Amino acid sequence: QVQLVESGGGLVQAGGSLRLSCAASGGRFPIERMGWYRQGPENERVLVAHITSNNDINYGDSVKGRFTISRDGAKNTVFLQMNSLKTEDTGVYFCNAKVGSMVLWDYWGQGTLVTVSS
């Protein structure tokens, strides 16, 4: 089993910055991809950003140019630097890891709350 531990959420004013971290531990298989999703109003999880083991990166449209994802492969940790935060960025952010090789399993963190005030 892979455990994901998130940190870095909190309250910030619009225009401010926050940095989220997610550290993965446990498991016997390689981590193919790690990323962040935000929970939407109907409890769906919407992509914020993800990064692969080859450092291929994908961002959700709403955060392009404002958020930056990076990783420390040696520590199985992914970071999300969030700048120019907007009130609509408010929500619970979940760390995700896709683990395996031929078959990928999904693992999720417990979620961290980001609140952006106006």
Side-chain angles (χ1 to χ4, degrees):
Q1 284 284 3
V2 173
Q3 291 82 42
L4 301 176
V5 178
E6 301 146 335
S7 60
L11 173 65
V12 66
Q13 286 191 325
S17 298
L18 282 175
R19 188 180 193 227
L20 304 183
S21 299
C22 175
S25 62
R28 298 185 293 118
F29 297 97
I31 297 176
E32 168 60 24
R33 192 173 84 187
M34 292 184 71
W36 294 92
Y37 290 73
R38 182 173 62 242
Q39 186 164 309
E42 298 183 355
N43 289 330
E44 76 280 16
R45 293 183 181 180
V46 179
L47 174 69
V48 177
H50 63 66
I51 183 167
T52 71
S53 58
N54 293 326
N55 290 321
D56 293 323
I57 291 173
N58 192 26
Y59 292 103
D61 288 341
S62 66
V63 307
K64 288 178 180 176
R66 300 187 298 121
F67 292 10
T68 302
I69 191 168
S70 60
R71 61 187 282 271
D72 182 336
K75 297 181 179 179
N76 285 333
T77 300
V78 65
F79 307 96
L80 184 68
Q81 179 66 41
M82 305 186 293
N83 298 329
S84 302
L85 281 159
K86 304 176 180 179
T87 55
E88 52 263 43
D89 294 320
T90 294
V92 179
Y93 285 68
F94 291 89
C95 180
N96 170 264
K98 294 194 181 296
V99 178
S101 52
M102 300 295 290
V103 177
L104 296 180
W105 291 273
D106 268 314
Y107 291 90
W108 294 93
Q110 77 281 4
T112 185
L113 178 62
V114 171
T115 304
V116 184
S117 64
S118 59

